[in-house]
Amino acid sequence: MDQTRRALCVQHLDIQFSTPHGMARAVQEVSFDIHAGEIYALVGESGCGKTSAAHAVMGLINRINAPGHRIGGRVLFEDKDLLSLTEEEMCHVRGRSLGMIFQNPLDALNPLYRAGYQVYEAIVLDKIGKIEAWRRVAELFNQVKLSDPEARMRSYPQELSGGMRQRVMIGMMLARNPRLLIADEPTTALDVTIQAQVLELILALRAALEMSVWLITHDFGIVAEIADRVAVMYAGVLVEEADVLGIFDNPRHPYTRMLMASLPRGFKRDGRLRTIAGLLPDPTLEIPGCRFRDRCPAKIEVCATQAPALVEITPGHRVACHVAATVKGDLPP
Amino acid sequence: MNDLTAYAIRRIFQSVFIVLAVTILLFAIMHMMPGDPIQLIDSPRLDEATTAKLRARWGLDKPPVVQYLYWLLNVLKGDLGRSITNGQSVSVLLAARLPATLHITLTALLLQYLVAVPLGLMAGYHQGSVFDRLAVSVTSVLRAIPYFWLGILLIIVFAVSFRLLPVSGYRGFQSLILPVLTLTLPALADTLRLTRSEVLEVLREKHVTTAVAKGLRPQMVLLRHVLRNALVPVTVMFFLSVPWLIGGSVIVETIFAWPGTGRLLWKAISAQDYPVVQGIILLITLLTVISTTIGDILTGLLDPRIRAELGGRVA
Ligand SMILES: Nc1ncnc2c1ncn2[C@@H]1O[C@H](COP(=O)(O)OP(=O)(O)OP(=O)(O)O)[C@@H](O)[C@H]1O
Ligand SMILES: [Mg+2]
């Protein structure tokens, strides 16, 4: 990728949660850019810190859902560092220029309000008249391809299927034309045919609204299908980042390679990451050296003492691995 | 809405049967008690013949079922009989005493809701703050104190030591304060704690994060998405707490010489004045059933999930 405009710039993002066993580092020194108009995928196995990173960017980690947490680094968005904004200032960013779809749509809507009202509530924040706002709700319900939008607007969330709720969520988050949409596993909770429809919808809306999408997933099938660039995360750190061809054609990090190897040939939608041997390291422990060392087939001596930095090995392709950074050409399997 | 109406009608019918059942039970219990009021009249002039005459006059010689049916018919006509001790009409007695009772119970209920809900919301939202910890410890104490103890404590502090408020009686606003406080504080503590824990629970629900993510300000999230959801169980509990409050009012009215139905009940029980006791318990039953019925119907009104469930059951 060339020097396109940046939609989001995450620098040295660090997130720690307070746990009974001490502070757990969920995200460590993560830095990446999302370019304007692209779909940037963040991949990694469960618990590696993807959702935490997204929530930190949205300013959704607070003293109520994570007492005693610590967040460090910078998140540049529209010339502002989101992490240093006050709650009041953040309210002008959230929903308006930064939208987020959550991992599980099933309980992401308030059961006491009708679906239409919950979208309406977001729209009227822009000082739009009531009638105009309701018209916009109907338009959005149409846009996210909800059948019988008028009836769906009057439905309560529990009367809607998972796919419908996810569409309502998408409509709600697109209501104010955000510049960046964070989609946290938008299809994980949905069945396969609905998954495809929701992805197509996100793709179509990205084109129509010219927004960027930060797509969080652990499904390489989805990545191959719609992402422009991909980052792979392991135990709170970014281990590799490249455009989608680079990742599939020439994966450099042993973790990425293992993930690729575990994919069935010719996978399409069933491209879920297979579990690979070993476990994520305990996030409360301070680990010297590379965090992937215990599970790594290619480890060398230096891996035990020195954490590898994320370095650019070819233009646009960054890897955090002592072996991959030095060995040119083919890597040992 | 249709489902709810059907449910409401069904629920009201049910309530009528509950009230009827209570009247039978009430009547049975009163008749199983040893002794009758005639025996209590300790007069040398009371010979066998006079006793029998008096029994006949009050209908005490008829079989219980007949006595019950007579009584029920009269009740439906608004005639609750006459007091055995002074011959006054029970309905007139109740009508005279009811306003005083409603005065303190309604004030207590209003205070309970209007004070406890905002404080509970604040305590839950600022969990762990000084205010929250204070609220938790004060309410723990208040919930554990029995009415009579609290009432006497308040009398000692405010009426005897500081002479700020009257000890007892029913004279104007000042005399209202201590009985209402006695009645409301334990219930207020309960409601506050319930609100607090509901708020804490709702705050952790995912839809609250959604509300924040779509750009709502914290106050809006708190009122529309946290308090609104927390209020469902709180409001229902509020209506279910009415019977406790009525029970408490018997004790409180006795302590503060409050001229309400509670104190009347106390006196009537001591004097074995059946008609009066029956009348008051019937009244209490009615209030209890009405408030729990309102509570049940309100749950459906407040929560579409319950409404849907009710609809399913009615269909
Ligand atoms: N509020 C919190 N308090 C304490 N620990 C937390 C909190 N939220 C997340 N964590 C921890 O942070 C780590 C990363 O969690 P996160 O949800 O970000 O992972 P994820 O990559 O999104 O996983 P998944 O694919 O399962 O969604 C986990 O170890 C998790 O237990
Ligand atoms: Mg997640």
Side-chain angles (χ1 to χ4, degrees), chain A residues 51 103 184-185:
Chain A
T51 300
Q103 194 159 351
D184 187 0
E185 312 206 13

Side-chain angles (χ1 to χ4, degrees), chain A residues 25 28 234 237 281-295 299-308 322:
Chain A
R25 290 186 80 175
Q28 278 193 38
Y234 180 79
V237 295
D282 183 345
T284 56
L285 298 180
E286 198 61 51
I287 296 162
C290 177
R291 309 201 111 208
F292 186 58
R293 189 180 69 240
D294 284 348
R295 294 163 86 176
K299 59 176 172 274
I300 51 176
E301 230 168 87
V302 64
C303 301
T305 53
Q306 214 176 323
H322 293 301

Side-chain angles (χ1 to χ4, degrees), chain B:
Chain B
M1 228 29 203
N2 253 343
D3 291 340
L4 188 62
T5 319
Y7 171 71
I9 292 169
R10 229 167 37 113
R11 189 66 187 75
I12 289 166
F13 265 109
Q14 210 177 2
S15 306
V16 172
F17 280 105
I18 292 173
V19 173
L20 275 180
V22 170
T23 59
I24 294 171
L25 204 67
L26 179 62
F27 204 83
I29 291 171
M30 298 301 286
H31 276 263
M32 276 187 284
M33 286 189 183
D36 70 33
I38 310 299
Q39 290 171 342
L40 281 181
I41 307 171
D42 187 20
S43 162
R45 288 185 291 124
L46 200 68
D47 51 32
E48 287 283 313
T50 334
T51 309
K53 223 176 78 192
L54 279 173
R55 285 225 165 92
R57 180 171 165 217
W58 293 108
L60 294 172
D61 57 343
K62 299 245 168 46
V65 179
V66 177
Q67 287 189 42
Y68 169 73
L69 287 176
Y70 270 129
W71 177 72
L72 191 65
L73 264 175
N74 285 332
V75 166
L76 291 177
K77 283 187 281 181
D79 177 8
L80 292 165
R82 290 183 172 276
S83 160
I84 290 178
T85 42
N86 59 18
Q88 270 184 290
S89 151
V90 173
S91 337
V92 172
L93 258 175
L94 286 186
R97 296 297 199 109
L98 195 58
T101 297
L102 289 181
H103 209 147
I104 54 166
T105 42
L106 290 183
T107 317
L109 274 171
L110 213 65
L111 269 180
Q112 179 194 338
Y113 202 68
L114 295 184
V115 175
V117 168
L119 292 185
L121 177 66
M122 291 321 287
Y125 186 58
H126 296 290
Q127 188 194 15
S129 67
V130 177
F131 171 71
D132 178 41
R133 274 180 280 169
L134 196 71
V136 168
S137 41
V138 170
T139 50
S140 314
V141 175
L142 283 177
R143 294 165 88 184
I145 296 183
Y147 286 115
F148 67 86
W149 207 86
L150 181 63
I152 290 167
L153 190 78
L154 289 174
I155 290 179
I156 292 173
V157 174
F158 291 101
V160 178
S161 299
F162 295 108
R163 295 176 180 282
L164 289 173
L165 297 165
V167 175
S168 63
Y170 184 42
R171 271 167 275 106
F173 177 73
Q174 292 217 320
S175 60
L176 196 65
I177 297 175
L178 289 186
V180 165
L181 277 183
T182 310
L183 202 51
T184 206
L185 282 178
L188 193 147
D190 268 338
T191 309
L192 194 154
R193 287 293 281 271
L194 181 68
T195 310
R196 177 184 178 274
S197 64
E198 288 299 327
V199 163
L200 282 177
E201 201 169 301
V202 178
L203 272 173
R204 279 170 182 73
E205 280 169 17
K206 295 223 180 71
H207 66 79
V208 174
T209 309
T210 306
V212 176
K214 70 183 168 190
L216 293 185
R217 280 158 206 293
Q219 311 91 284
M220 276 203 264
V221 174
L222 208 56
L223 291 179
R224 273 194 217 154
H225 291 274
V226 179
L227 184 62
R228 172 66 178 77
N229 290 41
L231 274 185
V232 177
V234 171
T235 307
V236 174
M237 265 312 292
F238 174 75
F239 280 95
L240 296 185
S241 77
V242 169
W244 293 102
L245 207 70
I246 294 173
S249 75
V250 176
I251 301 166
V252 169
E253 287 182 9
T254 309
I255 299 172
F256 289 96
W258 192 260
T261 43
R263 196 159 65 115
L264 184 63
L265 176 64
W266 183 257
K267 281 202 247 164
I269 290 174
S270 328
Q272 290 189 335
D273 195 341
Y274 293 166
V276 175
V277 173
Q278 279 171 338
I280 295 176
I281 294 189
L282 188 65
L283 188 74
I284 292 176
T285 308
L286 264 179
L287 289 177
T288 304
V289 170
I290 289 173
S291 67
T292 49
T293 307
I294 293 178
D296 277 358
I297 295 173
L298 215 59
T299 335
L301 211 61
L302 288 175
D303 193 332
R305 287 168 297 184
I306 292 168
R307 202 148 68 222
E309 223 172 86
L310 298 178
R313 258 195 278 153
V314 168

Side-chain angles (χ1 to χ4, degrees), chain A residues 38-320:
Chain A
E38 77 173 343
I39 295 187
Y40 184 87
L42 181 64
V43 192
E45 68 195 291
S46 190
C48 72
K50 307 180 296 289
T51 300
S52 304
H55 280 225
V57 168
M58 284 291 287
L60 296 175
I61 300 178
N62 53 43
R63 58 170 181 80
I64 289 162
N65 54 36
H69 69 277
R70 263 181 249 151
I71 299 178
R74 303 207 299 164
V75 175
L76 301 178
F77 179 73
E78 295 182 336
D79 307 322
K80 284 170 293 209
D81 175 13
L82 297 185
L83 296 185
S84 65
L85 294 188
T86 62
E87 184 59 29
E88 179 72 23
E89 291 166 326
M90 206 54 205
C91 286
H92 292 289
V93 177
R94 277 194 292 250
R96 190 165 70 178
S97 31
L98 201 53
M100 175 154 184
I101 302 169
F102 294 96
Q103 194 159 351
N104 188 351
L106 292 183
D107 42 13
L109 295 171
N110 191 331
L112 301 191
Y113 294 101
R114 294 173 198 275
Y117 175 77
Q118 299 191 48
V119 177
Y120 167 85
E121 216 184 5
I123 296 171
V124 285
L125 290 173
D126 286 330
K127 311 263 175 291
I128 287 173
K130 271 190 184 178
I131 299 171
E132 180 58 30
W134 280 113
R135 199 176 304 138
R136 176 98 177 98
V137 176
E139 186 187 306
L140 279 161
F141 274 48
N142 250 319
Q143 208 173 356
V144 296
K145 305 223 160 54
L146 275 159
S147 57
D148 198 357
E150 294 289 331
R152 296 289 84 85
M153 279 164 65
R154 284 192 304 272
S155 301
Y156 288 97
Q158 51 280 13
E159 296 162 3
L160 302 175
S161 70
M164 288 180 187
R165 287 185 224 186
Q166 193 62 295
R167 282 161 200 269
V168 172
M169 273 297 288
I170 295 173
M172 176 191 291
M173 291 306 169
L174 294 179
R176 302 162 75 195
N177 298 325
R179 301 314 308 145
L180 174 68
L181 177 71
I182 305 175
D184 187 0
E185 312 206 13
T187 59
T188 308
L190 311 176
D191 69 58
V192 180
T193 45
I194 315 284
Q195 275 186 23
Q197 292 171 10
V198 168
L199 288 178
E200 267 156 40
L201 179 66
I202 291 176
L203 270 176
L205 293 170
R206 189 247 325 222
L209 305 172
E210 295 175 357
M211 62 179 183
S212 322
V213 178
W214 173 8
L215 176 75
I216 294 169
T217 179
H218 43 227
D219 187 336
F220 261 112
I222 293 175
V223 172
E225 226 169 304
I226 74 171
D228 298 312
R229 287 196 304 139
V230 190
V232 179
M233 198 169 177
Y234 180 79
V237 295
L238 273 198
V239 294
E240 184 158 9
E241 183 196 58
D243 59 32
V244 83
L245 269 178
I247 283 283
F248 283 95
D249 274 0
N250 188 19
R252 304 298 290 177
H253 197 281
Y255 178 59
T256 319
R257 297 166 69 86
M258 284 167 77
L259 291 179
M260 293 294 172
S262 70
L263 292 174
R265 291 247 165 257
F267 67 89
K268 185 73 177 163
R269 288 219 170 76
D270 188 26
R272 288 300 172 80
L273 301 191
R274 294 294 152 83
T275 37
I276 56 175
L279 292 169
L280 285 170
D282 183 345
T284 56
L285 298 180
E286 198 61 51
I287 296 162
C290 177
R291 309 201 111 208
F292 186 58
R293 189 180 69 240
D294 284 348
R295 294 163 86 176
C296 185
K299 59 176 172 274
I300 51 176
E301 230 168 87
V302 64
C303 301
T305 53
Q306 214 176 323
L310 191 65
V311 291
E312 192 159 31
I313 47 163
T314 53
H317 198 148
R318 297 193 291 161
V319 181

